[in-house]
Amino acid sequence: MQNSVMRIRLTHVRRMRIMSRMMKFADVLKALADRKGGRDWALVAEMAGMHYDTLARIARGDIGNPGVLAVEKIAAALEKIEAAKAKETSA
């Protein structure tokens, strides 16, 4: 009985992690759409350690499943850019 309860809990935790990542991917796509092309995408690509064309293909939806690592790198780059912009405006 305890094994089945543990499996249910683990399944729930996995589902929540997947949902969290899916939300993050949707947020990344929206943030990229807001910055449509140009210097911002070049900066994001550079900071994420990927080629500009790869970032553009992810943003356009040509790469439907870019992988968790790529999405996390893009999200981290976007967060750093936002933090730098916020710091500039507050200074």
Side-chain angles (χ1 to χ4, degrees), residues 12-82:
H12 178 71
V13 168
R14 287 182 187 136
R15 244 185 246 139
M16 295 305 291
R17 286 183 184 155
I18 291 168
M19 292 296 289
S20 167
R21 288 177 179 159
M22 286 172 55
M23 296 294 280
K24 193 171 200 176
F25 184 46
D27 294 341
V28 164
L29 289 178
K30 183 181 179 333
L32 288 174
D34 291 345
R35 289 171 175 74
K36 188 90 171 162
R39 293 182 70 203
D40 279 350
W41 278 14
L43 181 60
V44 172
E46 182 182 335
M47 291 179 74
M50 64 180 57
H51 197 275
Y52 177 88
D53 291 337
T54 303
L55 181 73
R57 289 176 56 213
I58 291 169
R60 283 193 312 262
D62 294 344
I63 301 175
N65 184 6
V68 173
L69 186 59
V71 173
E72 288 177 349
K73 286 180 177 182
I74 295 168
L78 289 167
E79 288 171 6
K80 287 179 185 176
I81 291 169
E82 286 301 314

